[in-house]
Amino acid sequence: SEVMKKYLMGIDSGTQSTRAIIFDTEGTMISEASVKHAPLIFGEDGGIYMDEKNVWDSLCEATRKAMAGFKEDKSLLCGIGLSPHNGTVCFMKKDGSHVLHPISYQDYRTAPIDPMPEDCPDWEAWQRTYSRANLLKCTSPKIYESIDKYTSIGGFLGYMLTGQFVDTVSNVIGCMPLDRRNFCWETRDWVYDCVGMRKDQLCDIFMPGSIMGRITKAASTATGIPEGLPLVAGASDKQCEAFGAGAIENKSAFISYGTEASLTFVSNTFYSMTKENFFYSLLSVVPYQWNYTMPMARGYWLVSWFRDNLAKDLVQKVKDEGLGSYGIEDILTRQAIEIEPGSEGLIVIPDWLAGRTRPHGKGVILGFTAKHTRAHMFRALIEGIAMQLRMNGDTLMETIKGLEKYNRIFVGGGGSRSDLSMQITADVFGVEVMRAPYHETGSLGAAMCAGMGVGIFDSCEAAVTRMGGTKRQVFRPIEKNRMYYDKLYNQVFKHCYKTMFPLFEKLDKIQEGRE
C-alpha cells in the first residue's frame, strides 16, 4: 500500500514580512503565504521599534493562508519550524504583555554606562554598551524595573504559540548572555551583571531541531495550525536560509540574494571578535558549527530599484507576453545574457545605502560610452553585486585570522531565480555554485528543522539530502570568464571605493551646505 505523505511547515519571521510555507518531506512546496509587516516605528527618543501586535498578526495571517491552501488531511501535518530574525529585543511581563515596543536590531543606540575594565574580554565589553537592558536601565529606569522577561522576536512568538517562554539558542546572539562556544546560557555570573539581565528573565532555549512546546488552543484559533502540533526550534533567519540551501559543510559558503544580500562562511572553528575587528559568531543549525556573515545592505533590492525606476516601459510587454510577477526582470535578463562578461567596460559599485563603516558611501556607475544600453547597466549591476560580495568575503577573511576560504557556494533568495545571476556568481567567485530548489530557503530550512524535531530525519545531513539535495542545480565557472572577472576585480573594482571616497566626502559637505 502507498505510504501516506507527511508535511512540515516552516515559518520565517523577518524584518519586513512573515512567510509561512508548507512542504512535503521531499522538499516540494505545497502551500505558501507571505504577509508584509508594518513599517518600523521611529521614536522621539531616537529609537527604532517594531510593532509586536503587527508581528504576531502577520504570522497569524500568513499561517491561516498557508493552511487554507493546504488541501491534504490536516493530520498529515507533523510539525512547525520557527525561524525568527536576530537582534530585535522584546520586553515582556509574565502574562505575555509588553512594557515597551521591541527595539529593532537596526537601532544603533548604545547605553551611556561605564565601560568594563580593560582586562574584560572584548565580546562581553561590547555587549555591555550594546545591551538593551543597560540602555533602559540608564534612560528609562521605571521600565527597566518592570521587565519580567527579555526575549528575541523568536521568544515572543514562541510564547504566543506555546504559552511558554521558549526560543532557539541560535537567535539570542549579541542581545543576551549566551555562551556561543557551547550553545547555552552563560555559566559565568558576572556576564549577567555586565549586560544588566538576570538568568530568570531569559527564555528556555533549545537547539535547532528540538521540540520547544506544542501549539495551544488559543494559538490554534489564531493561526489555523492544528492544536497540539509540535513547535520546533529553527535557527536565526540567515542560518535557516543557509541550512535550507544546503550549506552545512566546513569551508562551504552561502549567498543570500534577497532584499539584503549577504555572504556567509560555514566553519567548524569558533572565532570571537576583537576590539579592532567586530563580527558575530552566529550559531549554525548544525551543532558546534558557526556562521560568519558579511551583509550588504542593498542587495537584490537594487534590481527592484532598477526595474521600478528605469524599466517601467516594459510593463505592457510583460502583459502582452503573459509573463509573471518577475516579468520585467526576465526581459532585462534575456537582453543582458547577450552582452559579454564585463558589460563592455561598465562597472557598478552597488553602494546605494551607506553602511555604518562607510558613512559617505555612494553608488556609482562607471565607464559609460555611447555603445552602452540599459541592458549593459542591468548586467553590470548584477556583476557589481557579486563582486561586492566577493570583496566583503575577502574583508571578512582579513578580519578573522584563520577563517578558511570557501570551496563552493550555495545560493538562495529571489535573485537566485536567474540563471544569469548564478553563472555570473560562479565566474566572479571562481568556484562551483549550487542553487537551492526553492529560493525561499529560510522557510525550507525551518521546515527541515521541524522534520528533525518530529523524528522524520535523524540528522541535519539527512534533512538536507532529502528535502533539497537531489533538486539542486550546479553552475560551474567558465574559465575564460573567471580569468576576465578576476582581472576586473583585482585591478579595478577593489580600488574604486578607496579612490572615490574623498570625493564622496566632499560631495556630502557641499550638499549639507545647501540644506
Side-chain angles (χ1 to χ4, degrees), residues 454-505:
V454 300
I456 291 171
F457 310 121
D458 60 6
S459 67
C460 294
E461 292 77 10
V464 164
T465 300
R466 181 99 166 266
M467 289 188 75
T470 57
K471 298 175 184 174
R472 244 182 256 128
Q473 279 180 281
V474 182
F475 293 79
R476 294 180 177 85
I478 297 165
E479 184 57 16
K480 64 172 185 168
N481 295 352
R482 184 201 66 75
M483 288 171 67
Y484 175 84
Y485 281 126
D486 221 39
K487 207 178 280 185
L488 190 65
Y489 172 76
N490 283 307
Q491 295 183 24
V492 181
F493 189 90
K494 276 203 305 193
H495 306 285
C496 281
Y497 198 88
K498 214 175 280 184
T499 304
M500 291 183 287
F501 187 82
L503 297 176
F504 293 152
E505 211 164 354

Side-chain angles (χ1 to χ4, degrees), residues 355-432:
R356 274 185 285 184
T357 56
R358 298 200 301 261
H360 300 286
K362 301 279 183 291
V364 177
I365 304 180
L366 186 71
F368 272 117
T369 65
K371 66 188 168 191
H372 289 122
T373 65
R374 177 170 65 185
H376 286 84
M377 291 167 66
F378 184 73
R379 181 177 183 114
L381 188 68
I382 294 168
E383 291 171 333
I385 292 168
M387 284 195 279
Q388 182 66 55
L389 284 174
R390 178 176 165 180
M391 194 160 84
N392 288 358
D394 289 351
T395 302
L396 196 61
M397 284 186 286
E398 288 165 19
T399 300
I400 305 176
K401 304 302 179 194
L403 182 63
E404 293 183 276
K405 191 168 183 176
Y406 39 80
N407 52 26
R408 56 181 181 157
I409 295 173
F410 296 80
V411 186
S416 68
R417 286 178 65 258
S418 158
D419 286 2
L420 175 65
S421 289
M422 295 299 296
Q423 189 59 54
I424 286 172
T425 304
D427 293 341
V428 165
F429 283 87
V431 296
E432 278 190 349

Side-chain angles (χ1 to χ4, degrees), residues 222-258:
T223 64
I225 298 168
E227 184 183 353
L229 268 188
L231 180 70
V232 178
S236 291
D237 50 359
K238 294 298 179 198
Q239 281 56 64
C240 264
E241 281 186 42
F243 182 47
I248 61 168
E249 290 175 9
N250 187 48
K251 290 171 67 174
S252 58
F254 169 66
I255 286 177
S256 173
Y257 275 144

Side-chain angles (χ1 to χ4, degrees), residues 25-323:
T25 53
E26 306 300 315
T28 304
M29 190 191 75
I30 306 300
S31 173
E32 68 168 330
S34 180
V35 177
K36 281 195 170 172
H37 293 167
L40 294 170
I41 300 162
F42 291 84
E44 290 180 11
D45 58 359
I48 303 175
Y49 301 90
M50 288 191 85
D51 180 338
E52 67 280 358
K53 183 178 184 302
N54 174 259
V55 171
W56 170 242
D57 288 347
S58 299
L59 182 146
C60 293
E61 187 182 340
T63 54
R64 282 198 305 269
K65 284 180 175 174
M67 288 303 300
F70 181 58
K71 304 305 181 188
E72 307 299 325
D73 182 342
K74 302 291 185 280
S75 70
L76 297 175
L77 185 63
C78 300
I80 313 297
L82 178 62
S83 167
H85 73 272
N86 187 287
T88 296
V89 180
C90 304
F91 313 93
M92 298 178 69
K93 302 292 284 182
K94 283 176 186 160
D95 64 1
S97 60
H98 293 247
V99 299
L100 180 73
H101 283 313
I103 298 181
S104 167
Y105 71 91
Q106 296 183 30
D107 183 332
Y108 298 150
R109 289 177 297 166
T110 53
I113 196 168
D114 291 336
M116 294 297 282
E118 276 298 310
D119 61 353
C120 176
D122 296 335
W123 174 253
E124 286 75 14
W126 175 82
Q127 275 197 292
R128 177 172 174 79
T129 54
Y130 183 75
S131 165
R132 303 316 198 185
N134 284 340
L135 177 68
L136 295 178
K137 190 179 187 177
C138 296
T139 60
S140 307
K142 280 189 179 173
I143 290 176
Y144 174 75
E145 292 297 334
S146 69
I147 296 165
D148 291 328
K149 290 284 182 183
Y150 293 95
T151 79
S152 73
I153 285 291
F156 159 51
L157 295 175
Y159 176 84
M160 297 300 288
L161 290 164
T162 69
Q164 306 293 320
F165 285 101
V166 293
D167 198 0
T168 164
V169 68
S170 298
N171 205 50
V172 291
I173 300 285
C175 314
M176 293 164 211
L178 187 82
D179 179 342
R180 298 159 300 146
R181 191 187 289 274
N182 297 303
F183 285 50
C184 62
W185 288 128
E186 270 289 355
T187 53
R188 300 171 295 172
D189 291 342
W190 66 268
V191 180
Y192 293 89
D193 296 331
C194 170
V195 298
M197 299 175 183
R198 302 188 313 270
K199 194 168 184 181
D200 65 86
Q201 290 178 305
L202 306 176
C203 290
D204 292 332
I205 48 174
F206 295 80
M207 292 289 274
S210 306
I211 294 175
M212 301 191 290
R214 292 182 179 272
I215 303 298
T216 63
K217 187 173 184 178
S220 175
T221 302
T223 64
I225 298 168
E227 184 183 353
L229 268 188
L231 180 70
V232 178
S236 291
D237 50 359
K238 294 298 179 198
Q239 281 56 64
C240 264
E241 281 186 42
F243 182 47
I248 61 168
E249 290 175 9
N250 187 48
K251 290 171 67 174
S252 58
F254 169 66
I255 286 177
S256 173
Y257 275 144
T259 304
E260 174 186 274
S262 60
L263 173 67
T264 296
F265 288 69
V266 179
S267 176
N268 291 344
T269 306
F270 174 77
Y271 301 96
S272 190
M273 64 163 273
T274 63
K275 281 190 176 73
E276 295 75 34
N277 291 316
F278 175 82
F279 58 87
Y280 284 111
S281 309
L282 295 160
L283 310 188
S284 165
V285 169
V286 178
Y288 309 106
Q289 182 184 79
W290 292 267
N291 289 174
Y292 303 98
T293 298
M294 279 293 275
M296 181 182 159
R298 289 285 186 259
Y300 267 70
W301 172 91
L302 279 169
V303 173
S304 304
W305 172 87
F306 189 93
R307 175 198 68 204
D308 296 341
N309 287 281
L310 298 173
K312 280 185 177 170
D313 57 296
L314 293 176
V315 170
Q316 190 56 50
K317 189 173 173 64
V318 168
K319 285 180 186 170
D320 293 344
E321 292 191 24
L323 300 173

